């Protein structure tokens, strides 16, 4: 395109447009528009005299470059190598020149030959090489390609010139010995770079057709595909097809030009005998119908170019060879098509003959097919590669040998089918195709023929299966006799197979039914003890079941199948049928007996024993295989009409295993209820201690069990007795308790004594347990609920202290049993804190089962009051703090101050127990937390911190107690108060405990000291920042001082004189 070619040499540029300084390719590659393109070395600019070479000691040696009009390329190892610089993106109608071929020298200096290469006429090519790294200049230009103001330096003695500007300081440094190492490295990378460029850009359009020759048969259809790849332009490509017998090509058809077809092919193309069929955007197929010997020759597929440059191949040829039709396919010699009528399970054989006289080395592919509806299905094939291939659905039959394909004399192919079924009926044909191996070693089918061989009809085998008896009713332990009759239209050799089934429902499938007995086609009967199967005659099979029982009631089926022998000696089942179900009812032999229930022992009082006997009477015909069991039931009696369900007490299974019910399971395990068998016909129930919950009706159920032939027991009958009522005359329990104070008046320090007398009615042999309680005033802080359990005595006369916590008076309370119904309580050295109401709580117990005691009724006595008349002092308690608001870490002081009113006492006659509590909330809505306590003996007790800081508790005066919280934290806030228990010494020298006194709480607030909280973190942060800054400065100084020091070596400047413009 735009070039003139010379034979044996490189192309010559067609015009000066490619050397224009404003060439669009230069602008496309990003070169400065002011830079002129490089000119051939031998060209001379107009208006400039011939070359004159200045004598200079540094003149370079003359180098031989490429011929005129050819762009220079890098010279590697004394040879010129092809260089490709593709530029994609230009298509038809777009700006920019296309690619054009260039020539590079491939030989040594003065004796090389020129080779063609593809490159882009652009800036990259124009900034080429002339034997050394030097920028080029174009003709008639006074500017260098990279920089204006450059001078021309001669390079070779043949008039070749390259444009070189004055060397800069950097270039002089690069030419110095210090830079020679870097230049050597760049020079060694150039061959690798050029090789990568060639590998990346040596790709272009590829047109492909099948490898020839293509061998086809006269009269068949020929399809020749053609595809193109690695192209530019639109995705849908056009194709032209041409044909040649010898040298000249005739145009056949085109995808884009309707006038492309030659006159010789216009008629065949117009009739559709020759057409193009597009398979994709980049592929078509040439279709020739009814190919003739005149169509033998070369076919060429061409693609018009849509590429930016001419690269690759644009056409491809394939040779087509037309041979004569030598394939002959025929059926049986007797007649072309025959009809066969066969029975199900028979075998048949079909034959066809196939022979070819083709001049080429071809292979035959034989396939037997059957017509199913309107389509043909493959049965079995002998491929052109000599392999047998069964069709879909025939794989299993082929592996079993039921379908075979054999070859015989005279090129015959025989299909053998065994065990014919209904699916084998239809039309059969023999399909033969001829194959030849192509030039690419692939197999190609060149023609195909078929012939119908036979029409086969498969007749189904009729089979009728009937059981002679419709409905049967037998008695238990009798025999059941059933006969299965089969009828078939099958002739010849066959055997029948019979299977008897049993099912509980007539609708059950055979998979859910139970197999009783079976007889296979070899007359082998499965083993069974009580069931037998016999072959009465050719068509009758008898089933005999001995000693039937109730479980044999149900439905019986008979299934029969017909088997025929095969050629290999095996048997094949051709038909199978199942008879209608026959209903069999087995009547059970029920034993005749009655049941009687009576109470041998009835309770008169609660906890008396109860015994019931359930007897079997009037039993007849009870054999050894009959067994009786019993079940006991309870029903509560109600006065209303409400229905009460029965509750199972216990039952026995066929093995006489006792299974207690939910109502009696626990009492049965404890031995309170006993089930036993007195005699062979008597079952008994005994309740050791009858309670109120045992009132009601009792009845028993006697079950009869029959032994079956498999030694299992089956329940055959249930008989229920009449109910027996268990009750006794009772009255409500009555318990009366009276408390009496023996001394009407006493003072603190004396002994308090009272008695409790108990009386009961309607309780059998009762025993009593006594509990002494005290109801303290609400002002007593020791028991906020008001009632205190002091001491108890149980029904076995065991004494126990309940809530008595005064360790100094452990022996100060006594409870003893005076008589069976009288108890006495004593409290020694009474104190003022013992004031309150005292009662006796009595519980009556009656004997229960197993030596246990059962609670009958509870009673409460009248109260006895203890009141002390004193004129002693009145104590008051308050909490005080000089600074209730403190900061974290400070010390908190809390004072508990006790004041007295009334009679003055000596400090030695009074003492105090002090306890401190805290509520961790603003409101008193949480449980108090005990902090510490100080008893009257001066012993301090502290809690396990409980969320508090370290504490100290001390007595600073007889009436002042101080609590200190050291190092307060946030969790130490809250309401704090103290509880004081005064102790006063009486005139007799006895210490009396006064009621507890609670002080009004004071709120302790803890604040945070911001300055102290952030003082140490700020100091640490400032110190770390200072250290890191100094370390960074030290590292930077050391790095700049020793690590980054660079010595610049000045090189000696070269003195060169520039060539004057006149010299150029």
């Amino acid at each position: 395109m735009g070039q003139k070619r010379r034979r044996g040499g490189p192309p010559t540029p067609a015009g000066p447009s490619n050397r224009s300084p404003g060439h669009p390719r230069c602008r496309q590659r990003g070169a400065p528009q002011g830079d002129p393109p490089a000119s051939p070395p031998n060209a001379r600019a107009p208006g400039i005299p011939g070359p004159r070479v200045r004598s200079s000691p540094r003149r370079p040696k003359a180098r031989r470059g490429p011929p005129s009009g050819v762009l220079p390329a890098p010279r590697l190892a004394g040879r010129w190598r092809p260089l490709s610089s593709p530029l994609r993106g230009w298509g038809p109608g777009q700006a920019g020149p296309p690619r054009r071929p260039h020539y590079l020298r491939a030989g040594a200096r003065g004796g090389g030959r020129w080779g063609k290469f593809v490159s882009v006429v652009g800036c990259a090519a124009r900034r080429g090489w002339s034997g050394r790294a030097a920028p080029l200049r174009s003709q008639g230009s006074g500017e260098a390609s990279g920089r204006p103001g450059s001078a021309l330096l001669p390079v070779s003695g043949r008039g070749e010139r390259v444009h070189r500007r004055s060397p800069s300081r950097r270039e002089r440094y690069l030419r110095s010995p210090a830079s020679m190492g870097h230049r050597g490295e760049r020079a060694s990378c150039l061959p690798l770079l050029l090789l990568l460029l060639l590998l990346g850009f040596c790709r272009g359009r590829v047109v492909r057709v099948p490898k020839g020759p293509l061998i086809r048969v006269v009269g068949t259809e020929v399809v020749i595909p053609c595809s193109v790849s690695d192209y530019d332009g639109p995705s849908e490509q056009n194709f032209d097809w041409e044909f040649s017998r010898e040298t000249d090509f005739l145009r056949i058809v085109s995808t884009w030009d309707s006038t492309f077809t030659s006159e010789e092919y216009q008629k065949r193309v117009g009739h559709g005998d020759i057409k193009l069929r597009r398979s994709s955007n980049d592929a078509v197929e040439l279709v020739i119908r009814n190919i003739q010997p005149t169509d033998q020759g070369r076919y060429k597929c061409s693609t018009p170019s849509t590429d930016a440059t001419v690269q690759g191949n644009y056409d491809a040829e394939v040779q087509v060879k037309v041979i004569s039709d030598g394939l002959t396919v025929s059926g049986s010699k007797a007649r072309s098509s025959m009809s066969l009528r066969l029975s199900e399970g028979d075998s048949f054989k079909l034959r066809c003959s196939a022979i070819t006289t083709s001049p080429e080395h071809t292979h035959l592919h034989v396939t037997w097919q059957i017509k199913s509806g309107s389509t043909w299905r493959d049965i079995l094939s002998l491929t052109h590669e000599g392999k047998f291939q069964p069709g879909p659905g025939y794989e299993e039959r082929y592996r079993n040998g039921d379908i075979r394909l054999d070859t015989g004399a005279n090129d015959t192919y025989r299909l053998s089918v065994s065990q014919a079924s209904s699916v084998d009926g239809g039309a059969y044909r023999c399909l033969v195709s001829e194959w030849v191996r192509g030039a690419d070693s692939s197999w190609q089918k060149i023609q195909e023929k078929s012939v119908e061989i036979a029409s086969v009809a498969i007749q189904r085998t009729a089979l009728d299966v009937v059981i002679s008896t419709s409905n049967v009713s037998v008695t238990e332990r009798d025999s059941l006799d059933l006969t299965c009759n089969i009828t078939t239209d099958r002739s010849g050799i066959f055997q029948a197979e019979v299977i008897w089934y049993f099912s509980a429902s007539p609708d059950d499938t055979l998979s859910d039914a139970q197999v009783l007995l079976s007889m296979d086609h070899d007359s082998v009967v499965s083993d069974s003890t009580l069931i037998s199967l016999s072959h009465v005659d050719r068509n009758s099979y008898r089933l005999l079941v001995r000693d039937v029982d109730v479980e044999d009631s149900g439905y019986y089926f008979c299934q029969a199948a017909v088997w025929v022998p095969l050629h290999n000696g095996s048997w094949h089942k051709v038909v199978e049928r199942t008879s209608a179900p026959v209903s069999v009812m087995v009547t059970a032999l029920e034993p005749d007996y009655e049941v009687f229930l009576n109470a041998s022992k009835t309770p008169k009082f609660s906890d008396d024993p109860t015994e019931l006997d359930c007897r079997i009477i009037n039993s007849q015909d009870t054999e050894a295989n009959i067994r009786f069991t019993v079940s006991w039931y309870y029903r509560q009696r109600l006065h209303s009409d409400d229905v009460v369900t029965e509750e199972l007490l216990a039952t026995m299974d066929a093995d006489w295993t006792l299974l207690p019910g939910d109502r009696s399971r626990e009492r049965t395990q404890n031995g309170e209820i006993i089930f036993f068998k007195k005699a062979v016909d008597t079952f008994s129930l005994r309740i050791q201690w009858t309670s109120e919950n045992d009132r009601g009706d009792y009845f028993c159920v006697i079950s009869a069990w029959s032994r079956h032939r498999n030694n299992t027991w089956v329940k055959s009958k249930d008989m229920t007795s009449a109910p027996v009522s268990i009750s006794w005359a009772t009255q409500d329990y009555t318990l009366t308790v009276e408390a009496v104070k023996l001394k009407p008046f006493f003072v603190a320090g004396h002994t308090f004594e009272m008695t409790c007398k108990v009386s009961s009615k309607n309780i059998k042999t009762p025993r009593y347990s006594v509990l002494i309680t005290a109801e303290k005033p609400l002002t007593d802080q020791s028991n906020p609920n008001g009632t205190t359990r002091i001491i108890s005595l149980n029904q076995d006369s065991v004494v126990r202290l309940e809530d008595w916590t005064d360790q100094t008076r452990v022996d100060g309370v006594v409870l003893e049993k005076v008589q069976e119904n009288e108890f006495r309580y004593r409290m020694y050295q009474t104190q003022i804190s013992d004031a309150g109401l005292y009662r006796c709580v009595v519980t009556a117990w009656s004997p229960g089962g197993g030596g246990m005691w059962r609670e009958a009724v509870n009673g409460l006595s009248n109260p006895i009051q203890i009141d002390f008349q004193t004129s002693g002092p009145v104590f008051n308690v308050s909490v005080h703090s000089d600074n209730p608001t403190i900061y974290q870490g400070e010390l908190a002081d809390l004072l508990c101050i006790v004041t007295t009113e009334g009679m003055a006492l000596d400090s030695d006659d009074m003492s105090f127990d002090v306890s401190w509590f805290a509520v961790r909330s603003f409101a008193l809505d949480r449980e108090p937390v005990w902090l510490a306590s100080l008893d009257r003996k001066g012993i301090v007790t502290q809690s396990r911190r409980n969320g508090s800081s370290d504490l100290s508790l001390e007595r600073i005066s007889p009436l002042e107690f101080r609590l200190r919280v050291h190092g307060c934290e946030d969790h130490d806030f809250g309401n704090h108060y103290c509880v004081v228990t005064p102790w006063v010494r009486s005139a007799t020298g006895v210490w009396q405990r006064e009621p507890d006194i609670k002080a009004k709480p004071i709120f302790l607030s803890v604040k945070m000291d911001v300055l102290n909280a952030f003082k140490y973190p700020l100091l640490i942060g400032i110190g770390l920042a200072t250290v890191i800054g100094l370390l960074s400065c030290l590292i930077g100084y050391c790095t700049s001082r020793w690590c980054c020091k660079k010595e610049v070596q000045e090189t000696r400047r070269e003195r060169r004189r520039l060539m004057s413009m006149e010299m150029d």
Side-chain angles (χ1 to χ4, degrees), residues 27-64:
R27 295 191 297 271
Q28 181 72 15
R29 290 297 181 179
Q33 298 189 14
D35 294 351
S39 63
N42 296 336
R44 191 168 50 181
I48 299 178
R52 290 182 297 176
V53 181
R54 292 175 58 92
S55 60
S56 174
R58 297 183 180 269
R59 179 184 304 169
K61 294 181 180 182
R63 299 177 184 268
R64 185 172 299 176

Side-chain angles (χ1 to χ4, degrees), residues 297-308:
R298 291 182 295 124
Y299 289 82
K300 181 172 67 174
C301 176
S302 305
T303 58
S305 174
T306 59
D307 303 331

Side-chain angles (χ1 to χ4, degrees), residues 1006-1020:
V1006 181
K1007 295 183 178 181
M1008 183 180 67
D1009 191 354
V1010 179
L1011 180 59
N1012 291 331
F1014 289 96
K1015 178 172 62 177
Y1016 292 106
L1018 287 175
L1019 292 177
I1020 293 173

